[in-house]
Amino acid sequence: VQSDPGLGSRFTAELVSARVTPGLVHDTGPTPQPVVLWLTSDFASTRRVREWVAACGMAFVGMSSTELLVKAALEMRPALVALDLPAELAGVLLARVKDEPKLNRLPVLLVNDAALPAEDLRVNVWQMRRPFGRDQLHDALRASVPPKKPGP
């Protein structure tokens, strides 16, 4: 995170994982598993979170930047976007996702160590405080990801 008074803040990170199992996500039609796009600044916990998301029956796709996250969300139509970031960045990035007309109904899970102001907690937005464990993550995923409609 780089912050310059009067110039704003810039968040950069290395890509941890952007693997998608071939055939898992399609441009059209339903996917076998709900996809969770996870943008994080805590790369040490990514492997553990990936395993916990998979244990909940969902596919994990790690993201390295907001731009990649927005592009992937538009292309992949995930079940959930998770912003695992410090509180000072979460509100700004949440606004970026929610201001995109094709994404503004997408459920968003905010993961950080501080409570966000009520105005940042919009429709389809949940917050999970750090530190968290597998059970808390599973509860948050179940609460924020709408159940999949039965196929034909």
Side-chain angles (χ1 to χ4, degrees):
V1 175
Q2 179 181 353
S3 182
D4 298 312
L7 298 176
S9 297
R10 191 170 82 199
F11 172 78
T12 56
E14 292 182 34
L15 183 63
V16 174
S17 172
R19 290 185 306 167
V20 178
T21 305
L24 177 64
V25 179
H26 306 280
D27 289 334
T28 60
T31 60
Q33 294 176 293
V35 174
V36 175
L37 295 181
W38 194 281
L39 177 63
T40 188
S41 60
D42 179 16
F43 300 109
S45 69
T46 301
R47 182 176 179 190
R48 181 180 62 232
V49 170
R50 179 186 304 126
E51 291 169 359
W52 292 348
V53 168
C56 203
M58 299 178 190
F60 175 97
V61 180
M63 295 280 98
S64 65
S65 72
T66 307
E67 289 74 26
L68 286 176
L69 179 97
V70 170
K71 182 179 180 193
L74 288 167
E75 292 174 3
M76 299 171 70
R77 295 179 310 217
L80 174 75
V81 167
L83 302 176
D84 182 3
L85 303 165
E88 61 271 8
L89 292 174
V92 173
L93 298 180
L94 173 63
R96 172 90 189 275
V97 171
K98 289 297 185 178
D99 288 343
E100 174 62 46
K102 293 182 179 177
L103 301 179
N104 62 11
R105 290 195 171 113
L106 184 64
V108 175
L109 175 63
L110 301 173
V111 181
N112 53 47
D113 56 1
L116 289 178
E119 61 269 13
D120 285 340
L121 298 177
R122 307 172 189 195
V123 174
N124 288 337
V125 176
W126 289 263
Q127 185 172 23
M128 183 173 63
R129 302 278 298 270
R130 284 191 164 276
F132 64 90
R134 186 190 70 183
D135 292 340
Q136 291 88 356
L137 178 59
H138 285 193
D139 290 345
L141 291 174
R142 287 185 187 105
S144 55
V145 174
K148 202 164 179 148
K149 295 178 184 173

